[in-house]
Every structure is written in structure tokens, then in C-alpha cells.
Amino acid sequence: MRYTADGRPIAPAPHHRRLGEEALAGQLARAREVPATRPDHLADGPTGLPADFERMRWFPLPPVCREQAQPGTG
């Protein structure tokens, strides 16, 4: 990254490596593997978060997510 004389940043143009169509089959196979390796059910239990947060929470938040978000874990 560089800067102009007046302090505006100048980023280098991104360099993208392009793959040929022959790569598509492998990418699709890998994409199918990702959901297949996930568990069918995640436990939804106590997260240890404050009660005011829990009252607003409408989405599932498995305790394992909270554990992995804490520093020094996961």
C-alpha cells in the first residue's frame, strides 16, 4: 500500500489467479463435502450470556459457538 502526496491511500490492483473450467468438478465435489461433514443437530442449551441478551435472541446459538468465540479456546 502506498499513499499519494496528499495522503490518499493507493492500493495495488488485485491479482486474481483464474482457473480453467476443468477445476469446476473438483470445486463442486468439495462444496458437497462441506455440509455432509456437519452434524444434523446442534445442542441448544445455556450459553452463559446475560439474560437481557437471551430475551432478544431469536436464533439458535449452540453453546459450542460461544465456547469457540472465547479467547484461548477452540
Side-chain angles (χ1 to χ4, degrees), residues 6-37:
D6 62 353
R8 288 181 294 146
I10 301 173
H15 175 72
H16 297 285
R17 184 173 154 231
R18 297 190 185 266
L19 300 175
E21 286 188 34
E22 67 279 357
L24 182 58
Q27 291 170 337
L28 289 173
R30 176 66 184 125
R32 288 184 191 100
E33 290 172 7
V34 171
T37 63

PDB file of all heavy atoms in Angstrom, residues 6-37:
ATOM      1  N   ASP A   6      -0.997  13.874  -1.101  1.00  0.00           N
ATOM      2  CA  ASP A   6      -2.000  14.477  -0.215  1.00  0.00           C
ATOM      3  C   ASP A   6      -2.563  13.481   0.806  1.00  0.00           C
ATOM      4  O   ASP A   6      -3.534  13.769   1.494  1.00  0.00           O
ATOM      5  CB  ASP A   6      -3.118  15.121  -1.021  1.00  0.00           C
ATOM      6  CG  ASP A   6      -3.892  14.137  -1.877  1.00  0.00           C
ATOM      7  OD1 ASP A   6      -3.494  12.969  -1.962  1.00  0.00           O
ATOM      8  OD2 ASP A   6      -4.911  14.552  -2.453  1.00  0.00           O
ATOM      9  N   GLY A   7      -1.955  12.279   0.925  1.00  0.00           N
ATOM     10  CA  GLY A   7      -2.331  11.336   1.970  1.00  0.00           C
ATOM     11  C   GLY A   7      -3.385  10.310   1.608  1.00  0.00           C
ATOM     12  O   GLY A   7      -3.794   9.531   2.453  1.00  0.00           O
ATOM     13  N   ARG A   8      -3.837  10.286   0.358  1.00  0.00           N
ATOM     14  CA  ARG A   8      -4.823   9.283  -0.039  1.00  0.00           C
ATOM     15  C   ARG A   8      -4.134   7.945  -0.280  1.00  0.00           C
ATOM     16  O   ARG A   8      -3.074   7.890  -0.892  1.00  0.00           O
ATOM     17  CB  ARG A   8      -5.560   9.724  -1.304  1.00  0.00           C
ATOM     18  CG  ARG A   8      -6.535  10.867  -1.046  1.00  0.00           C
ATOM     19  CD  ARG A   8      -7.266  11.269  -2.300  1.00  0.00           C
ATOM     20  NE  ARG A   8      -6.283  11.833  -3.242  1.00  0.00           N
ATOM     21  CZ  ARG A   8      -6.355  11.703  -4.553  1.00  0.00           C
ATOM     22  NH1 ARG A   8      -7.348  11.077  -5.115  1.00  0.00           N
ATOM     23  NH2 ARG A   8      -5.430  12.242  -5.327  1.00  0.00           N
ATOM     24  N   PRO A   9      -4.751   6.863   0.201  1.00  0.00           N
ATOM     25  CA  PRO A   9      -4.125   5.551   0.006  1.00  0.00           C
ATOM     26  C   PRO A   9      -4.260   5.066  -1.434  1.00  0.00           C
ATOM     27  O   PRO A   9      -5.247   5.330  -2.108  1.00  0.00           O
ATOM     28  CB  PRO A   9      -4.891   4.638   0.956  1.00  0.00           C
ATOM     29  CG  PRO A   9      -6.193   5.307   1.162  1.00  0.00           C
ATOM     30  CD  PRO A   9      -5.960   6.781   0.995  1.00  0.00           C
ATOM     31  N   ILE A  10      -3.240   4.388  -1.908  1.00  0.00           N
ATOM     32  CA  ILE A  10      -3.260   3.756  -3.225  1.00  0.00           C
ATOM     33  C   ILE A  10      -2.967   2.275  -3.004  1.00  0.00           C
ATOM     34  O   ILE A  10      -1.896   1.910  -2.527  1.00  0.00           O
ATOM     35  CB  ILE A  10      -2.180   4.331  -4.161  1.00  0.00           C
ATOM     36  CG1 ILE A  10      -2.363   5.830  -4.346  1.00  0.00           C
ATOM     37  CG2 ILE A  10      -2.191   3.611  -5.495  1.00  0.00           C
ATOM     38  CD1 ILE A  10      -1.218   6.463  -5.127  1.00  0.00           C
ATOM     39  N   ALA A  11      -3.938   1.464  -3.303  1.00  0.00           N
ATOM     40  CA  ALA A  11      -3.757   0.017  -3.147  1.00  0.00           C
ATOM     41  C   ALA A  11      -3.401  -0.573  -4.505  1.00  0.00           C
ATOM     42  O   ALA A  11      -3.923  -0.142  -5.535  1.00  0.00           O
ATOM     43  CB  ALA A  11      -5.031  -0.610  -2.611  1.00  0.00           C
ATOM     44  N   PRO A  12      -2.541  -1.554  -4.518  1.00  0.00           N
ATOM     45  CA  PRO A  12      -2.213  -2.193  -5.796  1.00  0.00           C
ATOM     46  C   PRO A  12      -3.438  -2.932  -6.340  1.00  0.00           C
ATOM     47  O   PRO A  12      -4.306  -3.369  -5.584  1.00  0.00           O
ATOM     48  CB  PRO A  12      -1.092  -3.167  -5.442  1.00  0.00           C
ATOM     49  CG  PRO A  12      -1.179  -3.365  -3.974  1.00  0.00           C
ATOM     50  CD  PRO A  12      -1.815  -2.137  -3.403  1.00  0.00           C
ATOM     51  N   ALA A  13      -3.502  -3.033  -7.641  1.00  0.00           N
ATOM     52  CA  ALA A  13      -4.612  -3.756  -8.260  1.00  0.00           C
ATOM     53  C   ALA A  13      -4.558  -5.207  -7.819  1.00  0.00           C
ATOM     54  O   ALA A  13      -3.480  -5.807  -7.765  1.00  0.00           O
ATOM     55  CB  ALA A  13      -4.517  -3.653  -9.774  1.00  0.00           C
ATOM     56  N   PRO A  14      -5.715  -5.788  -7.474  1.00  0.00           N
ATOM     57  CA  PRO A  14      -5.699  -7.188  -7.035  1.00  0.00           C
ATOM     58  C   PRO A  14      -5.284  -8.114  -8.177  1.00  0.00           C
ATOM     59  O   PRO A  14      -5.604  -7.878  -9.336  1.00  0.00           O
ATOM     60  CB  PRO A  14      -7.138  -7.455  -6.608  1.00  0.00           C
ATOM     61  CG  PRO A  14      -7.952  -6.389  -7.248  1.00  0.00           C
ATOM     62  CD  PRO A  14      -7.045  -5.223  -7.493  1.00  0.00           C
ATOM     63  N   HIS A  15      -4.544  -9.128  -7.821  1.00  0.00           N
ATOM     64  CA  HIS A  15      -4.121 -10.121  -8.796  1.00  0.00           C
ATOM     65  C   HIS A  15      -4.923 -11.386  -8.540  1.00  0.00           C
ATOM     66  O   HIS A  15      -4.815 -11.986  -7.470  1.00  0.00           O
ATOM     67  CB  HIS A  15      -2.625 -10.408  -8.665  1.00  0.00           C
ATOM     68  CG  HIS A  15      -2.155 -11.514  -9.562  1.00  0.00           C
ATOM     69  ND1 HIS A  15      -2.055 -11.349 -10.920  1.00  0.00           N
ATOM     70  CD2 HIS A  15      -1.793 -12.779  -9.294  1.00  0.00           C
ATOM     71  CE1 HIS A  15      -1.639 -12.497 -11.455  1.00  0.00           C
ATOM     72  NE2 HIS A  15      -1.475 -13.373 -10.485  1.00  0.00           N
ATOM     73  N   HIS A  16      -5.749 -11.756  -9.475  1.00  0.00           N
ATOM     74  CA  HIS A  16      -6.583 -12.940  -9.323  1.00  0.00           C
ATOM     75  C   HIS A  16      -6.079 -14.049 -10.236  1.00  0.00           C
ATOM     76  O   HIS A  16      -5.887 -13.845 -11.430  1.00  0.00           O
ATOM     77  CB  HIS A  16      -8.048 -12.634  -9.681  1.00  0.00           C
ATOM     78  CG  HIS A  16      -8.667 -11.624  -8.783  1.00  0.00           C
ATOM     79  ND1 HIS A  16      -9.051 -11.912  -7.495  1.00  0.00           N
ATOM     80  CD2 HIS A  16      -8.976 -10.321  -8.978  1.00  0.00           C
ATOM     81  CE1 HIS A  16      -9.571 -10.834  -6.942  1.00  0.00           C
ATOM     82  NE2 HIS A  16      -9.532  -9.854  -7.816  1.00  0.00           N
ATOM     83  N   ARG A  17      -5.848 -15.178  -9.645  1.00  0.00           N
ATOM     84  CA  ARG A  17      -5.470 -16.347 -10.428  1.00  0.00           C
ATOM     85  C   ARG A  17      -6.750 -16.982 -10.953  1.00  0.00           C
ATOM     86  O   ARG A  17      -7.679 -17.227 -10.197  1.00  0.00           O
ATOM     87  CB  ARG A  17      -4.727 -17.327  -9.533  1.00  0.00           C
ATOM     88  CG  ARG A  17      -4.213 -18.516 -10.261  1.00  0.00           C
ATOM     89  CD  ARG A  17      -3.338 -19.361  -9.329  1.00  0.00           C
ATOM     90  NE  ARG A  17      -3.393 -20.715  -9.822  1.00  0.00           N
ATOM     91  CZ  ARG A  17      -3.682 -21.771  -9.097  1.00  0.00           C
ATOM     92  NH1 ARG A  17      -3.921 -21.637  -7.819  1.00  0.00           N
ATOM     93  NH2 ARG A  17      -3.709 -22.959  -9.622  1.00  0.00           N
ATOM     94  N   ARG A  18      -6.822 -17.212 -12.214  1.00  0.00           N
ATOM     95  CA  ARG A  18      -8.021 -17.786 -12.814  1.00  0.00           C
ATOM     96  C   ARG A  18      -7.788 -19.250 -13.129  1.00  0.00           C
ATOM     97  O   ARG A  18      -6.766 -19.629 -13.666  1.00  0.00           O
ATOM     98  CB  ARG A  18      -8.389 -17.030 -14.082  1.00  0.00           C
ATOM     99  CG  ARG A  18      -8.726 -15.586 -13.785  1.00  0.00           C
ATOM    100  CD  ARG A  18      -9.328 -14.926 -14.998  1.00  0.00           C
ATOM    101  NE  ARG A  18      -9.529 -13.529 -14.746  1.00  0.00           N
ATOM    102  CZ  ARG A  18     -10.661 -13.000 -14.310  1.00  0.00           C
ATOM    103  NH1 ARG A  18     -11.688 -13.763 -14.084  1.00  0.00           N
ATOM    104  NH2 ARG A  18     -10.769 -11.714 -14.113  1.00  0.00           N
ATOM    105  N   LEU A  19      -8.773 -20.052 -12.762  1.00  0.00           N
ATOM    106  CA  LEU A  19      -8.712 -21.473 -13.053  1.00  0.00           C
ATOM    107  C   LEU A  19      -9.551 -21.766 -14.284  1.00  0.00           C
ATOM    108  O   LEU A  19     -10.514 -21.063 -14.574  1.00  0.00           O
ATOM    109  CB  LEU A  19      -9.253 -22.274 -11.865  1.00  0.00           C
ATOM    110  CG  LEU A  19      -8.514 -22.076 -10.545  1.00  0.00           C
ATOM    111  CD1 LEU A  19      -9.230 -22.819  -9.439  1.00  0.00           C
ATOM    112  CD2 LEU A  19      -7.084 -22.550 -10.673  1.00  0.00           C
ATOM    113  N   GLY A  20      -9.215 -22.814 -14.976  1.00  0.00           N
ATOM    114  CA  GLY A  20      -9.995 -23.226 -16.136  1.00  0.00           C
ATOM    115  C   GLY A  20     -11.241 -23.984 -15.707  1.00  0.00           C
ATOM    116  O   GLY A  20     -11.437 -24.314 -14.535  1.00  0.00           O
ATOM    117  N   GLU A  21     -12.083 -24.283 -16.676  1.00  0.00           N
ATOM    118  CA  GLU A  21     -13.328 -24.992 -16.384  1.00  0.00           C
ATOM    119  C   GLU A  21     -13.087 -26.385 -15.807  1.00  0.00           C
ATOM    120  O   GLU A  21     -13.944 -26.923 -15.115  1.00  0.00           O
ATOM    121  CB  GLU A  21     -14.181 -25.094 -17.648  1.00  0.00           C
ATOM    122  CG  GLU A  21     -14.831 -23.789 -18.025  1.00  0.00           C
ATOM    123  CD  GLU A  21     -15.812 -23.945 -19.167  1.00  0.00           C
ATOM    124  OE1 GLU A  21     -16.473 -25.009 -19.240  1.00  0.00           O
ATOM    125  OE2 GLU A  21     -15.919 -23.023 -19.966  1.00  0.00           O
ATOM    126  N   GLU A  22     -11.913 -26.939 -16.059  1.00  0.00           N
ATOM    127  CA  GLU A  22     -11.627 -28.271 -15.532  1.00  0.00           C
ATOM    128  C   GLU A  22     -11.598 -28.282 -14.002  1.00  0.00           C
ATOM    129  O   GLU A  22     -11.744 -29.326 -13.380  1.00  0.00           O
ATOM    130  CB  GLU A  22     -10.305 -28.815 -16.088  1.00  0.00           C
ATOM    131  CG  GLU A  22      -9.067 -28.077 -15.630  1.00  0.00           C
ATOM    132  CD  GLU A  22      -8.762 -26.783 -16.378  1.00  0.00           C
ATOM    133  OE1 GLU A  22      -9.490 -26.432 -17.327  1.00  0.00           O
ATOM    134  OE2 GLU A  22      -7.790 -26.119 -15.998  1.00  0.00           O
ATOM    135  N   ALA A  23     -11.444 -27.137 -13.370  1.00  0.00           N
ATOM    136  CA  ALA A  23     -11.419 -27.051 -11.910  1.00  0.00           C
ATOM    137  C   ALA A  23     -12.823 -27.120 -11.303  1.00  0.00           C
ATOM    138  O   ALA A  23     -12.969 -27.431 -10.122  1.00  0.00           O
ATOM    139  CB  ALA A  23     -10.743 -25.758 -11.472  1.00  0.00           C
ATOM    140  N   LEU A  24     -13.840 -26.868 -12.095  1.00  0.00           N
ATOM    141  CA  LEU A  24     -15.204 -26.793 -11.579  1.00  0.00           C
ATOM    142  C   LEU A  24     -15.664 -28.099 -10.930  1.00  0.00           C
ATOM    143  O   LEU A  24     -16.246 -28.087  -9.851  1.00  0.00           O
ATOM    144  CB  LEU A  24     -16.175 -26.399 -12.696  1.00  0.00           C
ATOM    145  CG  LEU A  24     -17.639 -26.250 -12.278  1.00  0.00           C
ATOM    146  CD1 LEU A  24     -17.791 -25.205 -11.182  1.00  0.00           C
ATOM    147  CD2 LEU A  24     -18.495 -25.899 -13.476  1.00  0.00           C
ATOM    148  N   ALA A  25     -15.400 -29.238 -11.546  1.00  0.00           N
ATOM    149  CA  ALA A  25     -15.846 -30.522 -10.993  1.00  0.00           C
ATOM    150  C   ALA A  25     -15.282 -30.742  -9.591  1.00  0.00           C
ATOM    151  O   ALA A  25     -16.000 -31.164  -8.681  1.00  0.00           O
ATOM    152  CB  ALA A  25     -15.458 -31.664 -11.919  1.00  0.00           C
ATOM    153  N   GLY A  26     -14.015 -30.442  -9.398  1.00  0.00           N
ATOM    154  CA  GLY A  26     -13.401 -30.592  -8.084  1.00  0.00           C
ATOM    155  C   GLY A  26     -13.976 -29.623  -7.061  1.00  0.00           C
ATOM    156  O   GLY A  26     -14.183 -29.972  -5.895  1.00  0.00           O
ATOM    157  N   GLN A  27     -14.242 -28.394  -7.486  1.00  0.00           N
ATOM    158  CA  GLN A  27     -14.816 -27.408  -6.583  1.00  0.00           C
ATOM    159  C   GLN A  27     -16.227 -27.810  -6.160  1.00  0.00           C
ATOM    160  O   GLN A  27     -16.607 -27.667  -4.995  1.00  0.00           O
ATOM    161  CB  GLN A  27     -14.832 -26.030  -7.249  1.00  0.00           C
ATOM    162  CG  GLN A  27     -13.439 -25.468  -7.434  1.00  0.00           C
ATOM    163  CD  GLN A  27     -13.434 -24.223  -8.295  1.00  0.00           C
ATOM    164  OE1 GLN A  27     -14.334 -23.986  -9.093  1.00  0.00           O
ATOM    165  NE2 GLN A  27     -12.399 -23.413  -8.130  1.00  0.00           N
ATOM    166  N   LEU A  28     -17.011 -28.324  -7.099  1.00  0.00           N
ATOM    167  CA  LEU A  28     -18.365 -28.775  -6.768  1.00  0.00           C
ATOM    168  C   LEU A  28     -18.333 -29.980  -5.829  1.00  0.00           C
ATOM    169  O   LEU A  28     -19.138 -30.074  -4.898  1.00  0.00           O
ATOM    170  CB  LEU A  28     -19.141 -29.115  -8.039  1.00  0.00           C
ATOM    171  CG  LEU A  28     -19.541 -27.914  -8.893  1.00  0.00           C
ATOM    172  CD1 LEU A  28     -20.154 -28.391 -10.206  1.00  0.00           C
ATOM    173  CD2 LEU A  28     -20.507 -27.018  -8.150  1.00  0.00           C
ATOM    174  N   ALA A  29     -17.401 -30.891  -6.049  1.00  0.00           N
ATOM    175  CA  ALA A  29     -17.281 -32.054  -5.166  1.00  0.00           C
ATOM    176  C   ALA A  29     -16.944 -31.601  -3.749  1.00  0.00           C
ATOM    177  O   ALA A  29     -17.529 -32.089  -2.778  1.00  0.00           O
ATOM    178  CB  ALA A  29     -16.224 -33.012  -5.698  1.00  0.00           C
ATOM    179  N   ARG A  30     -16.024 -30.671  -3.620  1.00  0.00           N
ATOM    180  CA  ARG A  30     -15.658 -30.148  -2.297  1.00  0.00           C
ATOM    181  C   ARG A  30     -16.842 -29.433  -1.659  1.00  0.00           C
ATOM    182  O   ARG A  30     -17.084 -29.573  -0.455  1.00  0.00           O
ATOM    183  CB  ARG A  30     -14.461 -29.202  -2.421  1.00  0.00           C
ATOM    184  CG  ARG A  30     -14.055 -28.544  -1.140  1.00  0.00           C
ATOM    185  CD  ARG A  30     -13.528 -29.548  -0.113  1.00  0.00           C
ATOM    186  NE  ARG A  30     -13.250 -28.862   1.131  1.00  0.00           N
ATOM    187  CZ  ARG A  30     -13.750 -29.191   2.296  1.00  0.00           C
ATOM    188  NH1 ARG A  30     -14.540 -30.227   2.414  1.00  0.00           N
ATOM    189  NH2 ARG A  30     -13.458 -28.515   3.384  1.00  0.00           N
ATOM    190  N   ALA A  31     -17.599 -28.684  -2.442  1.00  0.00           N
ATOM    191  CA  ALA A  31     -18.759 -27.971  -1.917  1.00  0.00           C
ATOM    192  C   ALA A  31     -19.805 -28.948  -1.375  1.00  0.00           C
ATOM    193  O   ALA A  31     -20.474 -28.661  -0.390  1.00  0.00           O
ATOM    194  CB  ALA A  31     -19.372 -27.092  -2.997  1.00  0.00           C
ATOM    195  N   ARG A  32     -19.928 -30.102  -1.989  1.00  0.00           N
ATOM    196  CA  ARG A  32     -20.876 -31.108  -1.494  1.00  0.00           C
ATOM    197  C   ARG A  32     -20.382 -31.758  -0.205  1.00  0.00           C
ATOM    198  O   ARG A  32     -21.169 -32.201   0.624  1.00  0.00           O
ATOM    199  CB  ARG A  32     -21.110 -32.168  -2.558  1.00  0.00           C
ATOM    200  CG  ARG A  32     -21.935 -31.672  -3.710  1.00  0.00           C
ATOM    201  CD  ARG A  32     -22.229 -32.798  -4.710  1.00  0.00           C
ATOM    202  NE  ARG A  32     -22.789 -32.250  -5.922  1.00  0.00           N
ATOM    203  CZ  ARG A  32     -22.109 -32.029  -7.050  1.00  0.00           C
ATOM    204  NH1 ARG A  32     -20.832 -32.343  -7.119  1.00  0.00           N
ATOM    205  NH2 ARG A  32     -22.697 -31.511  -8.103  1.00  0.00           N
ATOM    206  N   GLU A  33     -19.071 -31.839  -0.031  1.00  0.00           N
ATOM    207  CA  GLU A  33     -18.498 -32.459   1.162  1.00  0.00           C
ATOM    208  C   GLU A  33     -18.712 -31.615   2.411  1.00  0.00           C
ATOM    209  O   GLU A  33     -18.893 -32.157   3.500  1.00  0.00           O
ATOM    210  CB  GLU A  33     -16.997 -32.670   0.986  1.00  0.00           C
ATOM    211  CG  GLU A  33     -16.628 -33.729  -0.024  1.00  0.00           C
ATOM    212  CD  GLU A  33     -15.133 -33.756  -0.303  1.00  0.00           C
ATOM    213  OE1 GLU A  33     -14.366 -33.038   0.388  1.00  0.00           O
ATOM    214  OE2 GLU A  33     -14.729 -34.502  -1.201  1.00  0.00           O
ATOM    215  N   VAL A  34     -18.692 -30.315   2.270  1.00  0.00           N
ATOM    216  CA  VAL A  34     -18.763 -29.430   3.439  1.00  0.00           C
ATOM    217  C   VAL A  34     -20.026 -29.675   4.261  1.00  0.00           C
ATOM    218  O   VAL A  34     -19.933 -29.964   5.458  1.00  0.00           O
ATOM    219  CB  VAL A  34     -18.616 -27.951   3.027  1.00  0.00           C
ATOM    220  CG1 VAL A  34     -18.896 -27.021   4.189  1.00  0.00           C
ATOM    221  CG2 VAL A  34     -17.222 -27.702   2.463  1.00  0.00           C
ATOM    222  N   PRO A  35     -21.232 -29.593   3.692  1.00  0.00           N
ATOM    223  CA  PRO A  35     -22.412 -29.835   4.535  1.00  0.00           C
ATOM    224  C   PRO A  35     -22.521 -31.282   5.004  1.00  0.00           C
ATOM    225  O   PRO A  35     -23.091 -31.557   6.054  1.00  0.00           O
ATOM    226  CB  PRO A  35     -23.594 -29.449   3.653  1.00  0.00           C
ATOM    227  CG  PRO A  35     -23.086 -29.324   2.281  1.00  0.00           C
ATOM    228  CD  PRO A  35     -21.604 -29.162   2.359  1.00  0.00           C
ATOM    229  N   ALA A  36     -21.969 -32.205   4.256  1.00  0.00           N
ATOM    230  CA  ALA A  36     -22.052 -33.616   4.643  1.00  0.00           C
ATOM    231  C   ALA A  36     -21.238 -33.910   5.903  1.00  0.00           C
ATOM    232  O   ALA A  36     -21.511 -34.879   6.599  1.00  0.00           O
ATOM    233  CB  ALA A  36     -21.582 -34.498   3.498  1.00  0.00           C
ATOM    234  N   THR A  37     -20.256 -33.088   6.218  1.00  0.00           N
ATOM    235  CA  THR A  37     -19.422 -33.319   7.400  1.00  0.00           C
ATOM    236  C   THR A  37     -19.978 -32.652   8.649  1.00  0.00           C
ATOM    237  O   THR A  37     -19.434 -32.830   9.729  1.00  0.00           O
ATOM    238  CB  THR A  37     -17.991 -32.806   7.169  1.00  0.00           C
ATOM    239  OG1 THR A  37     -18.031 -31.391   6.965  1.00  0.00           O
ATOM    240  CG2 THR A  37     -17.335 -33.492   5.982  1.00  0.00           C
TER     241      THR A  37
END
